[in-house]
Amino acid sequence: MLLEARDLSATRTTESGTHVVLDGVDLGVEAGTLTDVVGPSGSGKTTLLLALARLLPGATGVLELDGVAAERIPPQRWRRDVALLPQVPALVPGSVGDNLLLPWRLRVRSHETPPSAEVLARALADVGLADVGLERDPSRLSVGQIARVALLRVLLTRPRVLLADEPDAALDDVSAAQVTRMTEAFVAEGGAVVRVRHLRLDERADRRFRLEGGKLSEVADA
């Protein structure tokens, strides 16, 4: 098992009190697989991804990567291998190239050699963004282009697990299809994806789960 969570639990505190969001969730993810998690708004899907990324203080349970307990893996290394793509991707001021190279300018990748401009330009072309130059101002990009640049930025770092929070939400059909192709290509190369969706199941997913009432249950058919 590449990534495994057992008895994962988390609460949320609001004005009306403390509520259980994850109630003993178990989830195992194998390399080369796409796992979909669906559920209504507020059911805790994003909370689950944050917990898997070790970005949720207060979450309890067991997390393992390749059978090694999370406590034995430095958080910086965990986030190199288990990467989170938020639902609303953020691009920083500068250029498209600056954004693609951002992981190498942060501590998590600062010790590695960044990809060359030629590699970045080829990567943009591969995801249907050949017309978006590396010097383009991100503020001039469409919503669909921003989504693809943000996903490409994560994939260029070669994580082992991608946690994607509704990556095709609010995208036009062309951009949504390209994001799906990018995700499937990552899986085909041996990566594992845990993808949160709202209510729509995808029959192409290897496993499909529904999160509701703090419980995660597998769905047999899309």
Side-chain angles (χ1 to χ4, degrees):
M1 194 69 65
L2 176 55
L3 175 65
E4 186 170 11
R6 297 192 301 273
D7 198 26
L8 202 58
S9 300
T11 59
R12 178 189 301 136
T13 301
T14 66
E15 293 181 355
S16 59
T18 300
H19 310 274
V20 174
V21 183
L22 302 178
D23 187 8
V25 165
D26 296 330
L27 178 64
V29 180
E30 298 279 8
T33 61
L34 170 61
T35 300
D36 270 354
V37 178
V38 301
S41 296
S43 61
K45 302 184 299 295
T46 297
T47 299
L48 173 61
L49 294 189
L50 290 172
L52 293 175
R54 294 177 65 184
L55 292 171
L56 188 67
T60 61
V62 176
L63 282 177
E64 294 180 350
L65 190 64
D66 276 334
V68 179
E71 293 78 11
R72 296 175 54 194
I73 301 175
Q76 183 175 334
R77 178 185 153 201
W78 184 279
R79 288 161 198 159
R80 284 203 309 265
D81 289 339
V82 183
L84 175 66
L85 179 71
Q87 183 178 352
V88 181
L91 299 187
V92 300
S95 67
V96 168
D98 291 335
N99 276 274
L100 293 178
L101 290 174
L102 185 61
W104 287 269
R105 291 173 178 160
L106 300 175
R107 290 177 56 189
V108 68
R109 295 278 174 179
S110 60
H111 63 291
E112 300 176 5
T113 302
S116 66
E118 290 76 16
V119 169
L120 295 180
R122 188 163 57 248
L124 285 173
D126 288 345
V127 298
L129 295 174
D131 58 333
V132 175
L134 294 175
E135 299 304 319
R136 176 79 69 89
D137 185 335
S139 66
R140 296 173 53 203
L141 299 180
S142 69
V143 171
Q145 289 171 328
I146 289 172
R148 278 181 275 173
V149 169
L151 176 55
L152 181 59
R153 179 173 60 192
V154 174
L155 296 181
L156 283 169
T157 67
R158 298 188 176 279
R160 302 181 65 197
V161 181
L162 171 66
L163 308 173
D165 194 350
E166 299 198 41
D168 56 359
L171 299 185
D172 59 79
D173 291 343
V174 172
S175 293
Q178 186 63 62
V179 164
T180 297
R181 282 193 290 270
M182 295 169 68
T183 302
E184 291 177 343
F186 174 72
V187 170
E189 293 174 357
V193 175
V194 179
R195 181 177 61 179
V196 156
R197 303 169 72 83
H198 182 47
L199 292 171
R200 184 178 58 185
L201 286 163
D202 188 341
E203 63 182 9
R204 292 168 294 189
D206 297 287
R207 299 182 73 187
R208 295 169 290 272
F209 294 85
R210 181 176 182 84
L211 180 62
E212 192 165 10
K215 299 294 187 180
L216 189 68
S217 57
E218 189 158 9
V219 179
D221 300 308

